Amino acid sequence: MSLSDPTATLMFAEAAEAAEVVARQFARNHAVMETLAASLRAAPPPFVVTCARGSSDHAATYGKYLLETQLGLVVASARHRWARSTPHRCSCAVRCSLSSRSPARA
């Protein structure tokens, strides 16, 4: 299969606007993320549990890297069913979904 104009694809259009979308997300969420980071630094949980599946797990893995390297938190990954049914009172749970569906509903 050959495309006559690869730049006319939806994938190309989405990739081309990615930098602008990320910049908007950073601007829109900056204050919230600063507050969250300050809160985690002031009262760090003993560990963080991420909950994701599929491609969302890649985003959760990146978040794990950031939390471990930037905040010094211990981060584990859990299967989405476990995290939904077994909340742990002294942990911080982070659920990731790159679609419009929550991992808890999957």
Side-chain angles (χ1 to χ4, degrees), residues 28-71:
R28 187 176 332 153
N29 295 307
H30 181 76
V32 171
M33 296 310 290
E34 286 292 326
T35 301
L36 175 61
S39 184
L40 289 172
R41 284 186 191 104
F47 61 94
V48 175
V49 178
T50 63
C51 173
R53 63 188 185 126
S55 60
S56 298
D57 193 46
H58 296 292
T61 300
Y62 181 65
K64 168 186 167 60
Y65 168 79
L66 291 176
L67 290 168
E68 288 178 339
T69 61
Q70 301 303 304
L71 298 178

Side-chain angles (χ1 to χ4, degrees), residues 3 5-18:
L3 294 174
D5 183 10
T7 63
T9 65
L10 177 60
M11 182 182 282
F12 184 89
E14 288 178 347
E17 69 183 18

